[in-house]
Tab-separated table of all heavy atoms in Angstrom:
chain	number	residue	atom	x	y	z
Y	318	ARG	N	56.463	12.520	0.426
Y	318	ARG	CA	56.715	13.919	0.038
Y	318	ARG	C	55.454	14.562	-0.512
Y	318	ARG	O	55.136	15.710	-0.184
Y	318	ARG	CB	57.811	13.982	-1.023
Y	318	ARG	CG	59.187	13.830	-0.487
Y	318	ARG	CD	60.199	13.969	-1.590
Y	318	ARG	NE	61.522	13.631	-1.121
Y	318	ARG	CZ	62.538	13.366	-1.914
Y	318	ARG	NH1	62.385	13.397	-3.220
Y	318	ARG	NH2	63.713	13.066	-1.403
Y	319	GLN	N	54.747	13.834	-1.378
Y	319	GLN	CA	53.509	14.357	-1.963
Y	319	GLN	C	52.489	14.631	-0.865
Y	319	GLN	O	51.843	15.677	-0.864
Y	319	GLN	CB	52.956	13.344	-2.979
Y	319	GLN	CG	51.709	13.798	-3.669
Y	319	GLN	CD	51.964	14.940	-4.626
Y	319	GLN	OE1	53.067	15.118	-5.113
Y	319	GLN	NE2	50.942	15.732	-4.870
Y	320	GLU	N	52.376	13.701	0.069
Y	320	GLU	CA	51.437	13.861	1.178
Y	320	GLU	C	51.787	15.100	2.005
Y	320	GLU	O	50.912	15.909	2.343
Y	320	GLU	CB	51.470	12.618	2.061
Y	320	GLU	CG	50.572	12.677	3.266
Y	320	GLU	CD	50.768	11.469	4.175
Y	320	GLU	OE1	51.159	10.393	3.684
Y	320	GLU	OE2	50.538	11.632	5.385
Y	321	MET	N	53.073	15.271	2.297
Y	321	MET	CA	53.494	16.432	3.100
Y	321	MET	C	53.303	17.731	2.321
Y	321	MET	O	52.935	18.757	2.910
Y	321	MET	CB	54.953	16.271	3.537
Y	321	MET	CG	55.186	15.115	4.498
Y	321	MET	SD	54.095	15.124	5.925
Y	321	MET	CE	54.714	16.531	6.808
Y	322	GLN	N	53.524	17.705	1.005
Y	322	GLN	CA	53.316	18.901	0.181
Y	322	GLN	C	51.841	19.294	0.203
Y	322	GLN	O	51.517	20.471	0.358
Y	322	GLN	CB	53.786	18.621	-1.260
Y	322	GLN	CG	53.558	19.759	-2.221
Y	322	GLN	CD	54.455	20.945	-1.955
Y	322	GLN	OE1	55.435	20.858	-1.235
Y	322	GLN	NE2	54.104	22.085	-2.529
Y	323	GLU	N	50.964	18.298	0.060
Y	323	GLU	CA	49.530	18.585	0.105
Y	323	GLU	C	49.120	19.106	1.473
Y	323	GLU	O	48.314	20.039	1.576
Y	323	GLU	CB	48.740	17.325	-0.255
Y	323	GLU	CG	48.862	16.934	-1.713
Y	323	GLU	CD	48.280	15.563	-2.013
Y	323	GLU	OE1	47.746	14.916	-1.076
Y	323	GLU	OE2	48.357	15.143	-3.180
Y	324	LYS	N	49.664	18.541	2.532
Y	324	LYS	CA	49.361	19.007	3.886
Y	324	LYS	C	49.823	20.453	4.057
Y	324	LYS	O	49.111	21.284	4.628
Y	324	LYS	CB	50.064	18.100	4.904
Y	324	LYS	CG	49.782	18.445	6.339
Y	324	LYS	CD	50.489	17.478	7.271
Y	324	LYS	CE	50.291	17.852	8.714
Y	324	LYS	NZ	51.026	16.968	9.622
Y	325	HIS	N	51.010	20.757	3.540
Y	325	HIS	CA	51.547	22.119	3.632
Y	325	HIS	C	50.640	23.095	2.867
Y	325	HIS	O	50.332	24.190	3.363
Y	325	HIS	CB	52.968	22.150	3.075
Y	325	HIS	CG	53.544	23.521	2.978
Y	325	HIS	ND1	53.931	24.245	4.080
Y	325	HIS	CD2	53.784	24.312	1.899
Y	325	HIS	CE1	54.393	25.423	3.691
Y	325	HIS	NE2	54.315	25.486	2.372
Y	326	LEU	N	50.224	22.689	1.655
Y	326	LEU	CA	49.355	23.572	0.873
Y	326	LEU	C	48.017	23.793	1.568
Y	326	LEU	O	47.482	24.912	1.548
Y	326	LEU	CB	49.138	22.983	-0.530
Y	326	LEU	CG	50.367	23.005	-1.441
Y	326	LEU	CD1	50.058	22.310	-2.756
Y	326	LEU	CD2	50.862	24.420	-1.676
Y	327	ARG	N	47.452	22.737	2.192
Y	327	ARG	CA	46.205	22.908	2.939
Y	327	ARG	C	46.415	23.869	4.110
Y	327	ARG	O	45.578	24.723	4.393
Y	327	ARG	CB	45.710	21.555	3.451
Y	327	ARG	CG	45.047	20.701	2.402
Y	327	ARG	CD	44.286	19.525	3.001
Y	327	ARG	NE	45.083	18.701	3.904
Y	327	ARG	CZ	45.814	17.649	3.533
Y	327	ARG	NH1	45.855	17.297	2.262
Y	327	ARG	NH2	46.489	16.955	4.417
Y	328	HIS	N	47.554	23.741	4.783
Y	328	HIS	CA	47.860	24.613	5.916
Y	328	HIS	C	48.002	26.061	5.454
Y	328	HIS	O	47.453	26.984	6.092
Y	328	HIS	CB	49.141	24.127	6.605
Y	328	HIS	CG	49.538	24.946	7.789
Y	328	HIS	ND1	48.829	24.963	8.967
Y	328	HIS	CD2	50.583	25.803	7.970
Y	328	HIS	CE1	49.409	25.774	9.823
Y	328	HIS	NE2	50.480	26.303	9.240
Y	329	VAL	N	48.733	26.264	4.369
Y	329	VAL	CA	48.916	27.622	3.834
Y	329	VAL	C	47.569	28.201	3.419
Y	329	VAL	O	47.268	29.371	3.711
Y	329	VAL	CB	49.910	27.602	2.646
Y	329	VAL	CG1	49.878	28.907	1.872
Y	329	VAL	CG2	51.319	27.315	3.148
Y	330	SER	N	46.737	27.383	2.777
Y	330	SER	CA	45.415	27.854	2.355
Y	330	SER	C	44.569	28.227	3.577
Y	330	SER	O	43.880	29.258	3.578
Y	330	SER	CB	44.729	26.772	1.538
Y	330	SER	OG	43.455	27.171	1.161
Y	331	ALA	N	44.615	27.414	4.622
Y	331	ALA	CA	43.861	27.716	5.845
Y	331	ALA	C	44.361	29.005	6.481
Y	331	ALA	O	43.555	29.835	6.943
Y	331	ALA	CB	43.975	26.556	6.828
Y	332	LEU	N	45.683	29.200	6.500
Y	332	LEU	CA	46.232	30.447	7.047
Y	332	LEU	C	45.768	31.653	6.246
Y	332	LEU	O	45.381	32.691	6.819
Y	332	LEU	CB	47.762	30.390	7.067
Y	332	LEU	CG	48.417	29.631	8.210
Y	332	LEU	CD1	49.930	29.583	8.025
Y	332	LEU	CD2	48.090	30.287	9.533
Y	333	ARG	N	45.816	31.535	4.928
Y	333	ARG	CA	45.379	32.652	4.079
Y	333	ARG	C	43.905	32.965	4.319
Y	333	ARG	O	43.518	34.137	4.422
Y	333	ARG	CB	45.605	32.308	2.608
Y	333	ARG	CG	47.030	32.432	2.184
Y	333	ARG	CD	47.182	32.168	0.699
Y	333	ARG	NE	48.578	32.289	0.304
Y	333	ARG	CZ	49.083	31.720	-0.752
Y	333	ARG	NH1	48.316	30.980	-1.536
Y	333	ARG	NH2	50.349	31.878	-1.047
Y	334	ASP	N	43.085	31.919	4.396
Y	334	ASP	CA	41.651	32.137	4.640
Y	334	ASP	C	41.429	32.817	5.988
Y	334	ASP	O	40.614	33.739	6.103
Y	334	ASP	CB	40.890	30.803	4.591
Y	334	ASP	CG	40.813	30.223	3.186
Y	334	ASP	OD1	41.089	30.972	2.225
Y	334	ASP	OD2	40.499	29.013	3.066
Y	335	GLU	N	42.158	32.331	7.003
Y	335	GLU	CA	42.024	32.914	8.339
Y	335	GLU	C	42.462	34.378	8.327
Y	335	GLU	O	41.766	35.263	8.871
Y	335	GLU	CB	42.858	32.125	9.335
Y	335	GLU	CG	42.819	32.659	10.753
Y	335	GLU	CD	41.462	32.518	11.405
Y	335	GLU	OE1	40.649	31.688	10.960
Y	335	GLU	OE2	41.196	33.269	12.363
Y	336	ARG	N	43.582	34.692	7.683
Y	336	ARG	CA	44.062	36.088	7.622
Y	336	ARG	C	43.100	36.965	6.828
Y	336	ARG	O	42.841	38.114	7.205
Y	336	ARG	CB	45.451	36.136	7.009
Y	336	ARG	CG	46.508	35.610	7.949
Y	336	ARG	CD	47.883	35.656	7.346
Y	336	ARG	NE	48.862	35.058	8.248
Y	336	ARG	CZ	50.023	34.611	7.854
Y	336	ARG	NH1	50.381	34.691	6.584
Y	336	ARG	NH2	50.858	34.081	8.729
Y	337	ARG	N	42.585	36.399	5.725
Y	337	ARG	CA	41.632	37.163	4.914
Y	337	ARG	C	40.369	37.442	5.735
Y	337	ARG	O	39.842	38.565	5.720
Y	337	ARG	CB	41.271	36.382	3.646
Y	337	ARG	CG	40.384	37.178	2.695
Y	337	ARG	CD	40.113	36.440	1.379
Y	337	ARG	NE	41.337	36.206	0.639
Y	337	ARG	CZ	41.826	34.985	0.334
Y	337	ARG	NH1	41.157	33.912	0.696
Y	337	ARG	NH2	42.941	34.858	-0.331
Y	338	ARG	N	39.883	36.450	6.477
Y	338	ARG	CA	38.697	36.629	7.310
Y	338	ARG	C	38.953	37.696	8.382
Y	338	ARG	O	38.132	38.580	8.597
Y	338	ARG	CB	38.320	35.293	7.972
Y	338	ARG	CG	36.974	35.311	8.666
Y	338	ARG	CD	36.690	34.008	9.381
Y	338	ARG	NE	37.722	33.616	10.330
Y	338	ARG	CZ	37.917	34.175	11.536
Y	338	ARG	NH1	37.159	35.167	11.919
Y	338	ARG	NH2	38.855	33.743	12.339
Y	339	LYS	N	40.147	37.618	9.039
Y	339	LYS	CA	40.468	38.626	10.062
Y	339	LYS	C	40.590	40.011	9.445
Y	339	LYS	O	40.142	41.007	10.024
Y	339	LYS	CB	41.778	38.255	10.771
Y	339	LYS	CG	41.638	37.123	11.748
Y	339	LYS	CD	42.970	36.847	12.429
Y	339	LYS	CE	42.868	35.711	13.408
Y	339	LYS	NZ	44.158	35.415	14.036
Y	340	TRP	N	41.203	40.079	8.257
Y	340	TRP	CA	41.395	41.371	7.607
Y	340	TRP	C	40.041	41.975	7.239
Y	340	TRP	O	39.802	43.166	7.448
Y	340	TRP	CB	42.269	41.167	6.357
Y	340	TRP	CG	42.560	42.438	5.613
Y	340	TRP	CD1	43.455	43.395	5.942
Y	340	TRP	CD2	41.908	42.871	4.427
Y	340	TRP	NE1	43.429	44.409	5.036
Y	340	TRP	CE2	42.467	44.104	4.076
Y	340	TRP	CE3	40.910	42.342	3.622
Y	340	TRP	CZ2	42.068	44.820	2.963
Y	340	TRP	CZ3	40.525	43.068	2.506
Y	340	TRP	CH2	41.093	44.289	2.192
Y	341	GLU	N	39.140	41.123	6.708
Y	341	GLU	CA	37.813	41.611	6.342
Y	341	GLU	C	37.010	42.034	7.583
Y	341	GLU	O	36.297	43.039	7.568
Y	341	GLU	CB	37.044	40.551	5.556
Y	341	GLU	CG	37.560	40.375	4.150
Y	341	GLU	CD	36.927	39.197	3.425
Y	341	GLU	OE1	36.126	38.448	4.053
Y	341	GLU	OE2	37.240	39.017	2.239
Y	342	ALA	N	37.182	41.291	8.678
Y	342	ALA	CA	36.487	41.653	9.915
Y	342	ALA	C	37.020	42.981	10.439
Y	342	ALA	O	36.243	43.852	10.873
Y	342	ALA	CB	36.661	40.554	10.951
Y	343	ALA	N	38.338	43.158	10.375
Y	343	ALA	CA	38.922	44.420	10.835
Y	343	ALA	C	38.475	45.567	9.946
Y	343	ALA	O	38.180	46.679	10.424
Y	343	ALA	CB	40.446	44.312	10.852
Y	344	ARG	N	38.426	45.340	8.667
Y	344	ARG	CA	37.989	46.377	7.726
Y	344	ARG	C	36.523	46.746	7.977
Y	344	ARG	O	36.154	47.922	7.955
Y	344	ARG	CB	38.168	45.849	6.300
Y	344	ARG	CG	38.152	46.926	5.290
Y	344	ARG	CD	38.622	46.378	3.964
Y	344	ARG	NE	37.774	46.942	2.960
Y	344	ARG	CZ	37.472	46.444	1.817
Y	344	ARG	NH1	37.972	45.286	1.477
Y	344	ARG	NH2	36.702	47.056	0.976
Y	345	GLU	N	35.716	45.750	8.254
Y	345	GLU	CA	34.308	46.007	8.555
Y	345	GLU	C	34.173	46.789	9.862
Y	345	GLU	O	33.367	47.720	9.955
Y	345	GLU	CB	33.560	44.673	8.660
Y	345	GLU	CG	32.063	44.803	8.639
Y	345	GLU	CD	31.398	43.445	8.620
Y	345	GLU	OE1	31.610	42.691	7.652
Y	345	GLU	OE2	30.698	43.158	9.621
Side-chain angles (χ1 to χ4, degrees):
R318 282 183 188 164
Q319 182 70 24
E320 178 186 332
M321 294 308 290
Q322 177 70 15
E323 290 170 2
K324 182 179 177 183
H325 173 72
L326 290 176
R327 283 193 307 271
H328 180 69
V329 167
S330 178
L332 280 176
R333 283 184 180 157
D334 290 345
E335 179 67 21
R336 287 180 184 159
R337 185 176 298 118
R338 190 184 55 75
K339 285 182 180 178
W340 181 77
E341 287 172 356
R344 197 168 139 207
E345 194 175 298

